[in-house]
Amino acid sequence: MKVKQVNLVIAFVAVVLFSFSCFCISKMTQIGNQLINCKNHILEFKGKIQHLRNKTENNRQEMLKALSKMKHELARKDSLSSNFGAQQKVDMMGQDEAIPDAFEDFKFFLPHLRKAGRISPNVIIGKGKTGVSFALGIATVSRGEYSYLKQTLTSVISRMTASEEKDSVVIVSIADSNEEYIHSVVNMIKKKFRKQVMSGSVEVISIPTFLYPNMLNAEQSTKESQTLKSHLVKQVLDFCFLMLYAKSKAMYYLQLEDDIVTKYMYFTKITEFVQNITTNNWFYIEFSILGFIGKLFRSEDLPDFVRFFLMFYKEKPIDLLLDDIFQIKNCRPMEMFRNCLERNKHMRIRYKPSLFQHVGIHSSFPGREQHYKVRFEL
């Protein structure tokens, strides 16, 4: 009986253990399946994350390509603007964007211009450089088979330092309607002074022909004297036009001519002399005693000089008018000009020795020669 009971207990325990084992196996199988499912979900999630990363990278690459293409197009347009658009823009200054009303004084003194439209130069070469210390003006006209302009520009530019060239602008004003001469000047400057043209340190303008009045009816005793009179009148107007164009570009304006050479380190000497002047009450400074060469003005004073020149442009050459305006403004009534000049040396300042030499023998006036010079070591 006892043996039977023991067997039943053992059988019961075995059943319980088997059932528990089956339960555990079932749970383990279930948990294993869940783990596998979790692993699959994790792998699926990783796959989606990687897909998103790949898509994001592709989008980023596409955006970079688009930006690169936009930059390339902008660079191409900028390049076109610098090579062509800038030229056109500066040329347009002569029509619409020139210095506002800079040349309106001409209409007051030259009645034939009062019905004209906007008066402005034709800017052939230029970057519109402004804000410099010095503007150097050179008016040029055809002398037939003779030309000193290349020699003049070479001397003027080569005897500047790099910093002086950066702080200045040389303006060549072609005061001639001869198209062949205009093209020859432009081609020469573009070829010989390419660096200065590209930097904006050299500009070339031409004066509109309608500026000049009809002077053929001037009362002169001979045809030659009438032609000379017309030549001198035109010269005054040429200088006035150039001075007004240069006014807004620099603090000082230096008047030169197209047939001169400069002394070594002339620009450094001018700069140092101007900086060391103790008085600010000077009228103008002469760096040459010849004609209108080497005369330095404050740019802010140029309109006053131009108005006086235009008032008497038919009466005298411009260098003599310069004497007159000084005498009117600074000399006492009935005083000898020599005495006035001596008394006002601090206003009409003369630098010695001369920094400019006149080299042109063949005058811009046809058929005439000029040999006046001031000796100095180049």
Side-chain angles (χ1 to χ4, degrees):
M1 186 70 181
K2 288 182 179 180
V3 174
K4 187 175 180 180
Q5 289 177 345
V6 170
N7 289 336
L8 287 172
V9 170
I10 292 171
F12 177 75
V13 171
V15 170
V16 171
L17 290 174
F18 177 77
S19 299
F20 181 74
S21 298
C22 290
F23 175 76
C24 289
I25 291 170
S26 175
K27 285 294 182 182
M28 291 177 66
T29 302
Q30 186 177 358
I31 292 172
N33 290 334
Q34 289 177 349
L35 289 173
I36 291 172
N37 289 335
C38 286
K39 183 178 180 181
N40 291 335
H41 283 306
I42 290 171
L43 292 175
E44 183 180 356
F45 181 73
K46 285 184 176 179
K48 290 181 179 180
I49 292 295
Q50 187 62 41
H51 176 72
L52 288 173
R53 284 179 177 174
N54 293 337
K55 190 173 182 180
T56 301
E57 180 64 21
N58 290 336
N59 290 338
R60 189 177 76 85
Q61 293 295 334
E62 290 296 325
M63 289 179 65
L64 289 175
K65 288 180 181 179
L67 288 172
S68 178
K69 187 175 181 181
M70 290 174 64
K71 287 180 179 178
H72 177 73
E73 288 297 319
L74 289 173
R76 185 178 67 83
K77 290 180 179 180
D78 287 343
S79 177
L80 289 175
S81 295
S82 62
N83 293 333
F84 175 75
Q87 179 74 43
Q88 291 295 95
K89 182 179 179 180
V90 177
D91 285 343
M92 288 176 64
M93 284 178 60
Q95 301 172 13
D96 302 313
E97 300 180 44
I99 307 165
D101 301 324
F103 305 95
E104 289 303 300
D105 282 337
F106 278 98
K107 291 185 178 181
F108 183 81
F109 295 100
L110 280 67
H112 74 283
L113 294 176
R114 291 172 187 170
K115 294 183 179 180
R118 191 182 190 88
I119 302 173
S120 57
N122 176 25
V123 182
I124 304 172
I125 296 175
K127 299 285 186 179
K129 189 175 183 180
T130 58
V132 296
S133 294
F134 292 90
L136 290 71
I138 302 173
T140 184
V141 294
S142 174
R143 300 170 189 258
E145 59 184 295
Y146 304 99
S147 178
Y148 306 97
L149 182 60
K150 183 191 290 188
Q151 180 184 8
T152 296
L153 284 174
T154 300
S155 179
V156 167
I157 293 172
S158 66
R159 287 177 172 160
M160 290 183 184
T161 65
S163 60
E164 289 169 348
E165 186 179 305
K166 186 177 180 181
D167 194 31
S168 63
V169 56
V170 178
I171 306 166
V172 178
S173 176
I174 306 176
D176 201 300
S177 60
N178 187 316
E179 291 291 333
E180 185 177 346
Y181 179 69
I182 293 175
H183 289 311
S184 69
V185 169
V186 171
N187 292 335
M188 180 273 290
I189 291 176
K190 283 184 175 180
K191 182 179 179 180
K192 178 71 175 176
F193 306 99
R194 183 175 181 274
K195 175 186 172 184
Q196 289 74 24
V197 168
M198 295 300 294
S199 69
S201 294
V202 169
E203 295 190 6
V204 180
I205 66 172
S206 65
I207 300 176
T209 54
F210 67 80
L211 181 79
Y212 308 109
N214 183 357
M215 295 170 287
L216 298 179
N217 297 322
E219 296 180 3
Q220 300 293 332
S221 56
T222 66
K223 184 176 181 180
E224 182 181 358
S225 62
Q226 179 177 324
T227 305
L228 177 60
K229 176 72 173 181
S230 299
H231 169 77
L232 295 175
V233 167
K234 178 182 177 298
Q235 191 177 60
V236 175
L237 299 179
D238 292 342
F239 284 128
C240 288
F241 195 90
L242 179 52
M243 293 168 85
L244 289 179
Y245 176 77
K247 174 186 174 295
S248 63
K249 291 185 169 291
M251 185 179 300
Y252 302 103
Y253 173 76
L254 180 66
Q255 181 65 61
L256 301 175
E257 294 186 6
D258 65 346
D259 56 351
I260 57 101
V261 293
T262 68
K263 191 171 184 177
Y264 179 68
M265 292 185 65
Y266 81 98
F267 203 91
T268 302
K269 295 178 187 296
I270 290 175
T271 303
E272 291 176 350
F273 186 78
V274 172
Q275 290 175 347
N276 292 326
I277 292 178
T278 56
T279 177
N280 194 41
N281 196 32
W282 53 272
F283 196 54
Y284 62 91
I285 304 174
E286 296 182 283
F287 291 97
S288 171
I289 62 172
L290 298 176
F292 206 50
I293 299 170
K295 304 302 186 282
L296 183 79
F297 307 88
R298 279 184 291 250
S299 293
E300 63 186 21
D301 296 334
L302 289 177
D304 290 336
F305 282 99
V306 168
R307 292 184 189 110
F308 184 84
F309 296 152
L310 290 176
M311 192 179 304
F312 301 103
Y313 75 96
K314 293 182 180 179
E315 309 305 325
K316 292 182 180 181
I318 196 165
D319 54 324
L320 298 183
L321 290 177
L322 191 61
D323 291 337
D324 290 343
I325 187 175
F326 173 81
Q327 190 167 4
I328 290 172
K329 290 178 72 68
N330 299 294
C331 296
R332 298 166 183 166
M334 308 300 293
E335 182 180 19
M336 294 284 291
F337 179 67
R338 184 185 303 172
N339 297 337
C340 175
L341 186 60
E342 183 67 25
R343 183 170 53 82
N344 290 289
K345 281 185 175 179
H346 63 285
M347 298 189 67
R348 183 177 175 174
I349 303 172
R350 178 167 293 174
Y351 178 92
K352 294 181 181 180
S354 175
L355 296 180
F356 304 97
Q357 174 65 278
H358 184 266
V359 294
I361 295 176
H362 299 276
S363 171
S364 55
F365 179 73
R368 291 206 170 192
E369 294 184 358
Q370 48 197 16
H371 298 272
Y372 56 94
K373 293 186 179 182
V374 175
R375 297 292 178 185
F376 63 77
E377 295 295 328
L378 298 179

